[in-house]
Amino acid sequence: MRDAGAAWLGSVQVVRPDGRVWSWVNDEHPGYPYPEAAALWLSWAAWRTEAGLESPGKSLVAAVRHGLVADLVRDGAVGRDGTFYLFDTCVAVDALARTDAMSGFEVESWKTAAVRGIERFLAAGAAVLGDTRGLRGRWSTRFGPHLIKAAALLLRADRCIVGGAFLGLAETALSLLARAGDIGGPTYGHALAYAAEGAWLLRVLGRREVPGACPDAAAEFFARVQRRDGSIPAWIDGSGPARADTTAQAVRLWAATDPARYRTSIAAGLSFLEGLRAPEGGIPYEPGSRDLNTWATVFTDQAVAWARGSIAPLGWV
């Protein structure tokens, strides 16, 4: 199961020759080159190397890195279609920091641009900049709980790069989130999982947690809403279709917080994900979909490894 997903993620189906990473793969419904997916892919490759697992080749990692660096240097942020996201940008910074610390790439080629770009988001107190037409109301556009993980990733990036200049940015982001008071709990399961992952990383890094975000409470919540087929629904009220990405995130959370307590939930979640897996090795976004989703497969690959007991506290992708 794990090797099938890893092999697919390292294939030409997922990574273009220029290093751009597809959002999903489906010949009848093509995806698009997606910088956030590239950042998650790069972080996943770094994690596999750290964990001693078979990893993508150095040339492939270098190609994906090159594309992300080009985006950051050009725009100071990452996104798509003229819309730039603070969360996506922090994922990219973390992925590049992990990769460069491990492989010896030149950090200065992107660090300054990234710092200036993140400063623009924080000065505006905004989760998204650029062309925001048609995006009103979406969870990803709010300065909300999912950004707890963004701040935690900046802290981890600063640990990877001595003098990385991301510590102050992370503290500013956390202060903005704390001052926001009731920033509103996420209604989308994927966003709740991000908030919980961020809270876990803050805990491990010895930083203050943002009120209202607790990985233990989120793990318990996901266990309550898990469906009989092992899946986690799209929305936290239990409605909507099953989501592969959120199910894999829940498995990771259970494995990180209390694997013995959530043994049955973990097994059911992995069974659901394995049932979705395509012969090529990729995981579709939801049942009935033929879109083999890059980030859902990344999360699943890590979930399988963690369920087998090889979790590292700072290893989150």
Side-chain angles (χ1 to χ4, degrees):
M1 181 177 177
R2 176 178 55 193
D3 293 337
W8 181 77
L9 286 165
S11 72
V12 294
Q13 288 182 289
V14 177
V15 184
R16 298 192 328 189
D18 64 359
R20 298 296 180 174
V21 176
W22 289 105
S23 55
W24 65 77
V25 175
N26 182 350
D27 291 340
E28 297 179 1
H29 179 225
Y32 47 84
Y34 191 12
E36 185 192 7
L40 289 168
W41 186 99
L42 199 62
S43 184
W44 163 81
W47 160 71
R48 285 190 69 90
T49 300
E50 293 165 352
L53 303 172
E54 185 176 354
S55 307
K58 291 184 178 180
S59 61
L60 196 60
V61 168
V64 174
R65 177 191 177 276
H66 177 79
L68 273 180
V69 168
D71 290 339
L72 275 176
V73 170
R74 183 186 65 241
D75 301 313
V78 299
R80 64 186 183 93
D81 300 330
T83 305
F84 302 99
Y85 294 85
L86 174 58
F87 184 87
D88 299 23
T89 302
C90 292
V91 174
V93 164
D94 172 65
L96 288 170
R98 296 178 79 181
T99 300
D100 289 6
M102 184 181 303
S103 303
F105 290 110
E106 178 52 59
V107 175
E108 294 301 325
S109 64
W110 57 268
K111 185 181 72 174
T112 300
V115 168
R116 290 174 179 170
I118 294 170
E119 286 175 341
R120 289 198 296 270
F121 285 102
L122 298 179
V128 61
L129 294 173
D131 185 358
T132 60
R133 291 173 295 180
L135 297 178
R136 184 179 297 277
R138 294 188 182 182
W139 67 270
S140 57
T141 66
R142 297 171 51 234
F143 205 89
H146 69 290
L147 293 177
I148 297 169
K149 184 171 182 180
L153 291 178
L154 290 179
L155 288 173
R156 186 168 67 178
D158 201 79
R159 281 201 173 188
C160 291
I161 302 174
V162 176
F166 299 115
L167 175 60
L169 297 175
E171 296 292 357
T172 299
L174 290 173
S175 294
L176 287 172
L177 286 165
R179 287 202 301 269
D182 182 10
I183 54 180
T187 58
Y188 193 52
H190 184 46
L192 173 62
Y194 275 149
E197 291 162 14
W200 174 271
L201 283 171
L202 289 178
R203 179 183 295 175
V204 174
L205 289 164
R207 298 290 175 172
R208 66 182 184 275
E209 296 183 12
V210 176
C214 174
D216 307 283
E220 186 64 25
F221 169 80
F222 281 129
R224 289 199 308 269
V225 301
Q226 187 178 33
R227 292 173 173 169
R228 290 184 178 180
D229 64 357
S231 68
I232 301 296
W235 302 97
I236 65 171
D237 64 0
S239 66
R243 288 283 190 257
D245 55 359
T246 312
T247 302
Q249 287 177 281
V251 171
R252 293 192 307 182
L253 196 59
W254 293 325
T257 54
D258 195 338
R261 175 183 176 87
Y262 297 114
R263 181 176 61 254
T264 301
S265 296
I266 290 170
L270 292 179
S271 177
F272 167 76
L273 292 165
E274 177 63 14
L276 291 181
R277 190 181 298 279
E280 301 94 317
I283 302 290
Y285 187 56
E286 61 187 14
S289 174
R290 297 180 64 185
D291 297 341
L292 303 187
N293 185 272
T294 303
W295 62 88
T297 306
V298 163
F299 294 159
T300 298
D301 187 63
Q302 188 170 64
V304 172
W306 284 11
R308 292 176 177 174
S310 55
I311 180 175
L314 280 174
W316 295 88
V317 174

